[in-house]
Amino acid sequence: MPKLSVIIIAKNESENIAECIKSASFANEVIVLDSGSSDNTVPLAKKLGAKVFNRPWKGYGQHKNMAIQLAKHEWIFSLDADERISPALKQEILKVINRPGFNVYDVPRRSLFVSRFIKHSGWQPDRTKRLFKKGSAKFSEHHVHEHLESKYEIGHLLQPLIHYSYRDFETVLKKINVYSSLGARDLKRKGKKGSLKKAILHALWAFIRTYIVRFGFLDGREGLMLAISVAEGTYYRYIKLIYLK
């Protein structure tokens, strides 16, 4: 029987880590790679039977690649702390690793924005590569929005991964700040330059694309709030790029 490792990277995720690990408890091992949590993330993870390791933070992509190296089994599923493997997805994962047709699979993701699971706004369909044979894929080393890279053809799972991405507006504001800083670093690495004009124009287009082109208006008031937050994050990313040294 093929065996499965679930890898989770975490820092100060005590509000999420228990439910995340429970959703992955069917795996042969659950690995939590921590990066210096100061809350109860580590004790909670150990209590639930996860294998916990600690490494200095190197960025999302590099940290996930470290977790891959720690995994012992043939199949790996990468799970974020604010995500949950649904019961239906669990059954589908077990089915495909026992009769695999591909080395790498993506999965649809349903994401929460404050009080609504978003169906439009560029969040659906939201397919993300997560299940793979060890050695078949690795994560890009972007500071943010890292993704699995593979030379293999991608299979498609049908059941959803549940993503509690923005539970409240404190989280929205925190992520706008963090992701815009990391995004600015990625832009600088690509040789891009920031300016006030670029910040305004990119932010305006981000709002139009999210709310109109991608039908965010069909997501009600949350669709409007999401479009505004996407525009804000884009604006700050290009403003921070101006001052990034």
Side-chain angles (χ1 to χ4, degrees):
M1 293 281 290
K3 292 186 175 181
L4 174 70
S5 300
V6 172
I7 58 172
I8 305 165
I9 66 168
K11 182 178 181 181
N12 294 333
E13 290 284 0
S14 58
E15 292 184 359
N16 278 311
I17 199 66
E19 292 304 316
C20 179
I21 291 172
K22 288 176 184 177
S23 79
S25 61
F26 66 95
N28 299 97
E29 68 173 358
V30 177
I31 290 173
V32 174
L33 182 55
D34 190 71
S35 55
S37 291
S38 57
D39 61 4
N40 290 325
T41 297
V42 169
L44 284 170
K46 288 180 176 179
K47 183 178 179 180
L48 289 167
K51 298 177 181 179
V52 180
F53 301 87
N54 196 291
R55 298 288 188 277
W57 181 249
K58 298 292 185 180
Y60 287 98
Q62 288 191 46
H63 219 61
K64 288 184 178 182
N65 286 331
M66 290 181 210
I68 290 172
Q69 295 306 310
L70 293 168
K72 290 185 176 180
H73 298 312
E74 177 184 5
W75 284 93
I76 297 173
F77 192 95
S78 177
L79 185 64
D80 291 344
D82 60 359
E83 295 173 338
R84 311 288 182 263
I85 298 174
S86 63
L89 178 57
K90 165 191 166 181
Q91 295 302 323
E92 190 174 17
I93 290 169
L94 292 173
K95 180 179 178 181
V96 299
I97 67 173
N98 279 289
R99 286 189 172 182
F102 300 88
N103 285 355
V104 183
Y105 290 86
D106 65 18
V107 58
R109 186 167 58 171
R110 294 183 62 228
S111 296
L112 179 76
F113 186 81
V114 185
S115 55
R116 179 194 291 257
F117 281 97
I118 300 298
K119 295 182 178 180
H120 308 280
S121 306
W123 281 22
Q124 284 290 340
D126 178 21
R127 286 199 161 270
T128 175
K129 296 184 286 290
R130 295 302 184 88
L131 178 65
F132 57 98
K133 277 188 175 180
K134 193 171 185 179
S136 297
K138 68 175 184 177
F139 281 92
S140 65
E141 296 193 352
H142 293 89
H143 289 102
V144 67
H145 301 313
E146 74 294 341
H147 57 276
L148 268 181
E149 298 176 329
S150 177
K151 65 180 181 180
Y152 293 96
E153 185 178 356
I154 309 300
H156 306 297
L157 301 183
L158 300 178
Q159 301 302 325
L161 181 66
I162 309 303
H163 187 202
Y164 293 99
S165 46
Y166 297 93
R167 291 179 179 270
D168 51 45
F169 265 101
E170 291 297 323
T171 304
V172 173
L173 295 174
K174 179 181 177 181
K175 288 190 174 184
I176 286 174
N177 184 39
V178 172
Y179 289 170
S180 61
S181 295
L182 296 174
R185 292 172 64 184
D186 281 333
L187 288 173
K188 184 173 178 63
R189 188 170 64 176
K190 293 177 181 178
K192 304 293 184 179
K193 296 185 181 296
S195 70
L196 181 58
K197 179 181 178 180
K198 285 183 178 180
I200 294 171
L201 291 178
H202 279 281
L204 180 61
W205 170 240
F207 177 85
I208 293 170
R209 181 182 59 205
T210 303
Y211 194 65
I212 299 174
V213 177
R214 295 177 172 172
F215 303 104
F217 58 88
L218 295 177
D219 287 312
R221 69 179 184 183
E222 287 82 4
L224 178 58
M225 294 186 292
L226 173 57
I228 292 171
S229 69
V230 170
E232 278 189 280
T234 304
Y235 173 80
Y236 289 125
R237 183 162 67 247
Y238 280 89
I239 291 295
K240 289 178 179 181
L241 182 58
I242 299 171
Y243 299 102
L244 194 60
K245 297 180 180 179

